[in-house]
Amino acid sequence: MIPYGKQDINQDDINAVLEVLTSDFLTQGPKVPLFEKAFIKKCAAKFGVAVNSATSALHIANLALGVGKGDLVWTSPITFVATANSALYCGAAIDFVDINLMTGNICVDALERKLIFAEENNTLPKVIIPVHLAGQSCDMAKIHALSLKYRFKIIEDASHAVGAKYKGKPVGSCQYSDITVFSFHPVKIITSAEGGLAVTNNKLLAQAMRQFRSHGIVSDEASMTEPSHGPWYYQQIGLGFNYRMTELQAALGLSQMTRLDEFVTKRNALAKIYDQAFNNTSLLRLTPNDNAYSSYHLYIVLLASCDKGSHKNIISQLREKNICAHLHYIPVHTQPYYQKLGFKDGDYPIAEEYYQRAISLPLYPNLAVKEQQYIIDTLLSEIKTSNHKQKLIGQ
Ligand SMILES: *Cc1c(COP(=O)(O)O)cnc(C)c1O
């Protein structure tokens, strides 16, 4: 089976992990700070907090921004469930803003309409989490402008967008947000097996996230409520978690960083081949934004029209032919857990239409030219068959 995404591990990565394994520190050693340093340099942010997953990073980002009971957090329904869950962990309520069908990202016009309504009804959100679907940045300048008017904070969920750019600057520079969160799950752009990182330019937010990462414990005297008792002393000044990244993970992440640009360039080159192959066919690709350089975590196409049956059939046929076509994402508000919270089918119609038309095709740095051609040929032939069948039914 050709997977939809796959890590690229070389001998340097293996050596980096082996070196840590025989060193003094398996956790809480020098590699995590080194990884943080390399990462913030790459995305031109001031502070970085590495954790064991992007889910944890989202959780502590919300907490650092003071999200709690009685607060509202808004995000996109087209995301992995973790984005929305992170607000629920804090006791806040979640709500969604519908997407733009052709980018898959949060629709800024829908956002503005919802904000105007929320202001009238006293239900403005504390935090909005835009998600850079497939690696293409949302229109952050516009969302940031709205944040000034309606006084909400912004966490970018850039899990897909490691190595991406917006208006010429790296995603993660936090020019238009308070915190940006990245994932290093193996299907993402670079991997640390499991892992995530939250970056910010705000020192206090970084400090708060560091505390939440490690039990709410501080060991610098300046943060303590009384003078240190001695060299063993630490204080727990809040309630935190164990969300630490291990040294093994950080060493892998650090080693992968050296090939980040290469990975993103390769992904863009493969995406271009898909683009050209689907030109002048009925398939639509997500519309590129002139301001955004995508990291192409995913290559997503949309079928020309909504047809639940043929959409399912095309994905199933591709799987049967050893191509692991996928679908990112099932709209979060249609998940049973979220329906129990009161969300209903029909709440976000564009996201639901997107779900009936989108297909993610395999894309990863080592996808071979021959494999990609096989994917293209198979998909186009399935679409032809499906169109033909529809015509027969129509007669
Ligand atoms: C992968 C992903 C996450 C969660 O990342 P983990 O590192 O697996 O916790 C969150 N949001 C989005 C959009 C993702 O793709």
Side-chain angles (χ1 to χ4, degrees), residues 53-55 58 79-80 82-83 131 157 159-160 183 185 188 195 329:
S53 72
T55 304
L58 285 162
T79 184
F80 185 53
T83 318
V131 180
D157 184 343
S159 292
H160 298 181
S183 171
H185 182 281
K188 307 279 163 75
Y329 288 93

Side-chain angles (χ1 to χ4, degrees), residues 270-278 281 283 299 318 323 361-362 369-383:
L270 291 165
K272 205 168 205 174
I273 294 174
Y274 276 137
D275 284 348
Q276 281 161 356
F278 301 141
T281 73
L283 280 177
Y299 190 89
L318 289 171
I323 298 164
L361 298 176
V369 174
K370 243 169 88 180
E371 288 173 322
Q372 193 181 20
Q373 197 55 52
Y374 172 65
I375 296 161
I376 291 166
D377 294 343
T378 311
L379 175 60
L380 290 178
S381 125
E382 285 308 326
I383 283 171

Side-chain angles (χ1 to χ4, degrees), residues 38-78:
F39 199 86
I40 57 175
K41 187 171 173 210
K42 184 73 192 168
C43 56
K46 287 204 181 111
F47 307 99
V49 182
V51 286
N52 57 359
S53 72
T55 304
S56 304
L58 285 162
H59 185 192
I60 62 173
N62 276 293
L63 288 173
L65 289 170
V67 171
K69 230 186 157 102
D71 292 325
L72 261 168
V73 173
W74 292 2
T75 190
S76 167
I78 297 298

Side-chain angles (χ1 to χ4, degrees), residues 80-139:
F80 185 53
V81 290
T83 318
N85 290 348
S86 70
L88 301 182
Y89 295 160
C90 306
I94 194 86
D95 203 357
F96 301 95
V97 180
D98 213 345
I99 61 161
N100 175 310
L101 180 67
M102 290 316 302
T103 63
N105 282 335
I106 211 164
C107 171
V108 178
D109 293 334
L111 173 60
E112 186 163 17
R113 284 195 298 272
K114 198 174 169 99
L115 285 165
I116 291 168
F117 183 82
E119 188 173 46
E120 284 167 2
N121 292 278
N122 234 344
T123 52
L124 281 171
K126 181 157 198 165
V127 168
I128 293 186
I129 314 180
V131 180
H132 305 319
L133 189 76
Q136 174 162 284
S137 177
C138 297
D139 236 325

Side-chain angles (χ1 to χ4, degrees), residues 77-78 96-101 110 113-114 306 331 333-334 344-357:
I78 297 298
F96 301 95
V97 180
D98 213 345
I99 61 161
N100 175 310
L101 180 67
R113 284 195 298 272
K114 198 174 169 99
C306 242
H333 70 282
T334 68
K344 296 182 301 297
D345 290 354
D347 281 351
Y348 306 96
I350 312 287
E352 289 168 37
E353 175 176 352
Y354 173 93
Y355 178 59
Q356 300 201 355
R357 291 174 64 178

